Amino acid sequence: MKIQALIVSLALLFSHFCLPLQQSFAQGNADLTDSQAFFEKTVQPPKYKNYEPQIEALLKKMTVEEKVGQMTELEIGVVTNGFGNNVQIDPAKLEKAIIQYKVGSILNVPGHALTVDKWWEIVGAIQAASAKTRLKIPNIYGVDSIHGANYVQGATLFPQEIGMAATWNPYLVQKSQEITAMETRAAALPWAYSPNLDLGRQPTWGRYWETYGEDPYLATVLGTAFVRGLEGTNVADDKHVASCPKHYLAYSFPFSGRDRTNAILSETELREYYLPPYEAAFKAGARSVMINSAAINGIPGHINKHLITDVLKGELKFDGFVVSDWQDIQKLVTQWKVAKNEKEATMIAINAGIDMSMVPQTYTFSDNLIALVKEKKVPMTRIDDAVRRILRVKFQLGLFENPMPNPAVKNNFGKPEYAQVSLEAARESLVLLKNENSILPLAKNKKVLVTGPTADSLISLNNGWTWVWQGSEKSLYPKDKLTIQQAIKDKLGEKNFQFVQGTEITLPPGKTSFEGTPAMFDREVDVNKAVDAAKKSDVVVLCLGEGSYAETPGNMVDLTLPEIQLNFAEKIIATGKPVVLVMAQGRPRLINRIADKVSGILLAMNPSDMGGVAIADVLFGDYNPNGKLPFTYPRHPHNYLMYDYRTFEVEETSYGNSATNPQFYFGDGLSYTTFAYSDLKLSSKSIPATGEVTVSFKITNTGKRAGKETAILYLRDEVASIAPPGKRVKRFAKVSLIPGESKTITFRLNKNDLSFIGTNHKPIVEAGDFTVMIGNLKDTFTVK
């Protein structure tokens, strides 16, 4: 019996480590047994040297013009000529910006991503010019490092935030951002405009894929991991950069669904849902913040003094600096019509609390603000507060001591091990949503047709902010990264593989990516050829979804997949061959016409350059999928009910039009093994309002393969003075289990978890019953 037990144990270990699951257990991929424990560790802010004496001494020396220069941010085209890697500093333009106007910050990329050496050339010239100014204050260069150092050629890319949310793995988020920080700083760039901490609760919004999904707790945990990854514990070292959470606040929930339009939200909702990720990021030490380009209840974000000065700088004690978004002070005149001219707009915005204006193409902001100070329409105390904050971050970044990093930091760029982290993130981001009759994993001896518009597209795997703003320039993508069809071909070989394009997503006729054009134009290529090939195959891998888009160009009036794609899918399905649908996209495109007719559905939310390999690994069983939906996947247009809906938001099901019938539910995600939940225990059935309750339960791998499971704890307040949600995420854990293995997970819930924002805009805990839900288990305790 002992020998038999030993054989079983060895077999379990073999299945865990040696079967072709390729489960990587590299740093950043350890078990997460308590999301809150991870959060409480990462939210601890670094302790910086006290630079206040130096800051105050410098402030006393500065003229009004020098102070306003620090508050001015211009884009790279203002000081250069040329495009891409042919860009060159224009000495006369640079002298005007840095010497004459004393500009303290430059941003952006000249058309598309630059090489590391070109970045050094450009940033070096700017810092050299800054060193010639009277006070030698260094420049701070800002860039959009959104899913990797995506404006540095050859950088390592990771899944977009919506894909990282599907991993439910803050370790991977932090590790990915440590790499992003190293590769950004390796290009002499010290400041990244990320993370996006907006919530994804409006999928027609063009920046949905830049979010961590619809739940504020998940966004809080992952967002804090992102900040810690970028900034580390010493943002001045050559491996880290300053973060810039954006877009404070509630930018992502426009009432119209259109980018940069008005949100209609009460302050109670703002504080309950939209503020927590930002509050946590600031506690973690985020050094800057970018403001909402839209409006809340008709008040543009850039003049919302209550949110910027009273809440952000006062209540939350944020001591970094506040930067506008692109042209947003000018848009107070042209778009929002709240100021009659740019000078008045500048006065309102700066007095509301904006510290730095991303102007970014003229000197009008500087001229106007200098005049406003001299006219005493903007007090010097407000100017000094702004400049003090900007100088503080420059000191903390180490820019006064080393405006340019040590050239040795270039060695931190493009290390081979980074690709493995990217691959692991891509794998964990994939969500298996349907696996009828265990169609997956596919056998490698089957004849497989791969077809569809996203099958041969790195653009679809990455989306916007990839080498160019819209991510739509195919020529800039690396040649050594595999698309879905290339990765499947690499796995199967020529004999059992065929690829036919079918339809494609491309730029509209006559347009180029460098005009800021998204890749959202569908057209047929060789549909009949694909249908004929399907008839001769054993199984079809049908790849649908989206191309690329960013910001306003990504606005959408209907989430339904384009008719060209749906018609093509129906023709493939009509062949009678089993179809596995792979959806490569940045938001939940509606598939109700075809979802019930395919055998399998694998969701790939912009998994990055390594997404093709990751998808092939999952389809053919070389990796066991473990992603979970971080959003509710709607079935119908105009039915975007979130998982935490309130009871009154759902009509009687007897009418046959229930709003609680999504295509897939928040938290859905299948595996090639099975898991069972058991032994739910509460430490107490009754606690005081200031008390804690410990929740424990067991997860067992009841299947035949090693795998990972994300356990999500939901809590419901049964009765409250403000109508309570049906449930809210309060904790999660992600654990690896070999067949037959069990692990006991323990969470502690405290008053913060029991509270909600009351009518006085403060957290409140009310007496009553609370229900804990995990898997198929539930139990209740009472707060007295």
Side-chain angles (χ1 to χ4, degrees), residues 294-542:
I296 300 173
N297 303 326
I299 302 174
H302 286 73
I303 65 170
N304 197 324
K305 187 173 183 178
H306 172 62
L307 289 180
I308 299 173
T309 297
D310 299 343
V311 177
L312 175 62
K313 295 180 176 181
E315 182 181 326
L316 301 184
K317 296 180 171 36
F318 175 67
D319 69 349
F321 69 87
V322 176
V323 64
S324 81
D325 206 341
W326 187 277
Q327 290 184 335
D328 273 332
I329 290 181
Q330 295 170 347
K331 290 175 183 175
L332 295 172
V333 181
T334 60
Q335 177 175 320
W336 295 106
K337 309 294 185 182
V338 293
K340 61 179 180 291
N341 55 45
E342 191 176 338
K343 185 177 180 181
E344 183 181 33
T346 301
M347 177 188 70
I348 301 170
I350 298 303
N351 285 334
I354 299 296
D355 299 318
M356 180 185 287
S357 173
M358 191 184 290
V359 185
Q361 295 168 323
T362 70
Y363 293 96
T364 53
F365 169 79
S366 298
D367 293 337
N368 286 328
L369 187 52
I370 291 169
L372 287 164
V373 173
K374 291 179 178 179
E375 294 166 9
K376 301 188 183 304
K377 293 180 179 177
V378 174
M380 186 58 72
T381 53
R382 174 75 273 273
I383 298 296
D384 285 350
D385 173 65
V387 177
R388 184 178 291 113
R389 291 167 178 274
I390 295 166
L391 293 177
R392 182 179 296 128
V393 174
K394 289 185 176 184
F395 272 110
Q396 291 170 341
L397 275 167
L399 294 177
F400 278 89
E401 295 179 9
N402 299 295
M404 293 294 289
N406 187 318
V409 301
K410 294 182 182 181
N411 297 328
N412 291 330
F413 190 85
K415 290 184 177 181
E417 58 264 32
Y418 297 169
Q420 182 60 35
V421 180
S422 175
L423 176 58
E424 192 62 37
R427 287 168 169 165
E428 291 205 21
S429 75
L430 302 178
V431 185
L432 182 59
L433 293 172
K434 185 177 182 180
N435 194 14
E436 191 174 79
N437 298 322
S438 298
I439 182 70
L440 296 173
L442 298 173
K444 294 177 183 176
N445 60 358
K446 298 286 187 180
K447 291 183 178 180
V448 178
L449 169 69
V450 182
T451 188
T454 63
D456 195 32
S457 173
L458 287 175
I459 290 175
S460 295
L461 296 176
N462 283 279
N463 214 326
W465 301 115
T466 308
W467 315 129
V468 292
W469 174 40
Q470 292 295 313
S472 54
E473 181 50 48
K474 186 177 180 180
S475 66
L476 294 174
Y477 282 78
K479 304 299 185 286
D480 62 338
K481 303 301 182 185
L482 302 182
T483 63
I484 299 171
Q485 70 91 3
Q486 291 169 335
I488 293 176
K489 180 180 179 180
D490 193 56
K491 196 171 289 288
L492 295 183
E494 296 279 357
K495 182 179 178 181
N496 291 320
F497 170 84
Q498 186 176 6
F499 166 65
V500 181
Q501 182 67 57
T503 73
E504 69 175 359
I505 307 169
T506 185
L507 295 168
K511 294 289 186 179
T512 72
S513 60
F514 301 118
E515 297 172 309
T517 307
M520 298 176 68
F521 182 75
D522 284 79
R523 71 182 188 93
E524 294 184 345
V525 179
D526 45 11
V527 170
N528 291 336
K529 181 179 178 182
V531 172
D532 290 341
K535 294 175 182 176
K536 300 172 185 176
S537 68
D538 294 321
V539 64
V540 179
V541 175
L542 176 61

Side-chain angles (χ1 to χ4, degrees), residues 678-684 693-698 744-747 772 774 777 779:
S678 61
D679 298 340
L680 175 62
K681 297 177 182 177
L682 304 181
S683 61
S684 176
V693 61
T694 299
V695 181
S696 65
F697 59 97
K698 185 185 294 184
T744 297
I745 304 297
T746 301
F747 297 134
V772 173
I774 303 171
L777 308 174
D779 201 352

Side-chain angles (χ1 to χ4, degrees), residues 17 110 115 188 202 305 487 498 500 573 591 648 661 669:
F17 293 108
T115 64
Q202 173 52 281
K305 187 173 183 178
Q498 186 176 6
V500 181
I573 292 167
I591 54 174
F648 62 79
N661 185 30

